Structures are given as C-alpha cells and as structure tokens.
Amino acid sequence: MFIVLFGAPGVGKGTQAEILSAKLNIAHFSTGDAFRAAIKNETEVGLLAKQYVDAGKLVPDEVVTKIVAEALSEEKFSNGALLDGYPRTTTQATSLDELLHGKGQSIEAVVNISVERDAIIERLLARGRKDDTQEIIANRLDVYLSETAPVLQYYKGKQDLLREVDGNKSIQEVTAAILDTLHS
Ligand code: ADP
C-alpha cells in the first residue's frame, strides 16, 4: 500500500510516518532523510542536493526522481511505502504515478495534514535542525505555497484519493484521525 503524507514543513509528517509505519507495517520513506543521508555520505546525489537543502529550496525534480526510483526498488518497499515529503511538485506527482504504474501499483490515499503557519514556525524553531532558522523556514514555507500546494489540486482531480486531517492536535489525536480516514 502506497500512502502519501502531505503538508507543509513542520506539520508532523515524519512523526506520523514513524508511528504509522509500525502500526500498519509499511516502510517509511522520507526524501528529506534520504537527502540528508546522501549529503552526509557525500554521494553524487548528496553533492547535487546539498546547496538546495541548505537554502531551503527544492532539489531539482530529476535528482529527486533518481533518489526515489533507487529507494523504491529496495525490497522493503516492494509492498508499499509511507511517502513523507514526496511528491512536492506536480512533476514529481506525475513521475510517481508512472513509477508505480510500472510496478503495477498505485497510490491508495493522500493524507493532507494542515497546521497554521505560526504554529509551524514555532515547531520548526524548537526542532532546531540546521535548516530550521527563521530565514530558511520562511523560504521553505514560501516554496511550499508556490510549488507544493498545487500538488493538492493534482490529487483533487483524482477520485477519492485526498483525505484532510487537522494537524493542530496532539500526536495521538492526529494518528487516530489519519487511521480513521484511511479506514473509512
Ligand atoms: P521539511 O518538510 O520539514 O522541510 P524535509 O526533511 O522533508 O523537511 O526536507 C528538507 C529539505 O530536503 C527540503 O527543504 C528540500 O531542500 C529537500 N527535499 C526533500 N524532499 C524533497 C522533494 N520531494 N523535492 C525537492 N526537494 C526535497
């Protein structure tokens, strides 16, 4: 089962993906984690991605598609994945459809988690990752609105895929709401 966890930076996609991965027995795949690992290991993709990740910009689609195609060919993702932070552009959304189509698979649900902007900024500043400074956060949120939010329109056009979840609640309440929407 392939499930997309969607939403702005800081809405809790990674936290929910970890919990849901254990509960649903589906492997978690975060493009952000994959890029951070590639940067740390100084791989070819890591060297290409570093300047973008550091600035809070989107890594170019062709580099993203490469890392995703490689990752999803791993055995642990053969039955599905909880996709976290991907797709983030409409080009990525169409290439994901093609990739899954080639495997005879498809997306089961797209869960859009929403949190107010001020709360997001507070959460990210508290997390304090290298790209969690005021300026880079503002940049990431702008990029989300201009390039990633339109992906929702893409999924709205696909019957019954999109589910809305309020992320302004406790971690447990958000998990319960996601499970509820997946089962309904
Ligand atoms: P957050 O969602 O909190 O910003 P992530 O760990 O998901 O954190 O992403 C961190 C950075 O990795 C992004 O700012 C971007 O540079 C890069 N990145 C992650 N996923 C993608 C993607 N699908 N397309 C392009 N860039 C990505």
Side-chain angles (χ1 to χ4, degrees):
M1 187 153 64
F2 286 86
I3 297 170
V4 175
L5 291 176
F6 196 88
V11 299
K13 300 184 296 287
T15 304
Q16 294 300 330
E18 284 295 315
I19 299 169
L20 293 166
S21 174
K23 281 191 192 283
L24 301 172
N25 198 22
I26 306 175
H28 170 200
F29 177 58
S30 153
T31 39
D33 288 348
F35 284 128
R36 281 184 288 277
I39 291 168
K40 191 162 161 252
N41 297 326
E42 297 181 346
T43 67
E44 197 185 323
V45 163
L47 294 174
L48 285 169
K50 185 176 175 10
Q51 54 176 316
Y52 299 97
V53 172
D54 285 351
K57 293 183 183 160
L58 291 184
V59 177
D61 287 331
E62 58 277 13
V63 180
V64 178
T65 298
K66 194 167 179 283
I67 209 169
V68 171
E70 270 171 28
L72 292 187
S73 65
E74 285 173 37
E75 175 60 29
K76 66 175 172 175
F77 297 118
S78 58
N79 292 324
L82 281 162
L83 300 172
D84 158 16
Y86 174 85
R88 247 167 156 108
T89 64
T90 40
T91 306
Q92 291 176 21
T94 45
S95 71
L96 174 61
D97 281 345
E98 280 163 21
L99 187 71
L100 293 183
H101 186 74
K103 295 175 187 285
Q105 288 164 317
S106 60
I107 298 171
E108 188 86 11
V110 177
V111 180
N112 181 34
I113 309 174
S114 306
V115 172
E116 286 148 24
R117 189 180 170 105
D118 287 353
I120 287 179
I121 294 172
E122 219 171 280
R123 285 184 190 184
L124 292 177
L125 286 174
R127 182 171 71 178
R129 209 169 63 194
K130 192 172 162 233
D131 57 344
D132 289 335
T133 64
Q134 284 277 10
E135 197 191 339
I136 301 174
I137 290 169
N139 199 8
R140 279 155 58 208
L141 289 174
D142 288 347
V143 167
Y144 174 77
L145 286 179
S146 61
E147 299 185 53
T148 306
V151 177
L152 283 176
Q153 297 306 318
Y154 175 84
Y155 287 122
K156 264 186 194 149
K158 304 217 158 209
Q159 260 193 336
D160 286 342
L161 273 191
L162 194 60
R163 317 285 158 85
E164 296 290 343
V165 166
D166 180 1
N168 300 288
K169 302 221 167 116
S170 71
I171 291 174
Q172 292 85 342
E173 283 172 307
V174 176
T175 307
I178 295 174
L179 289 172
D180 202 47
T181 182
L182 290 178
H183 293 140
S184 62

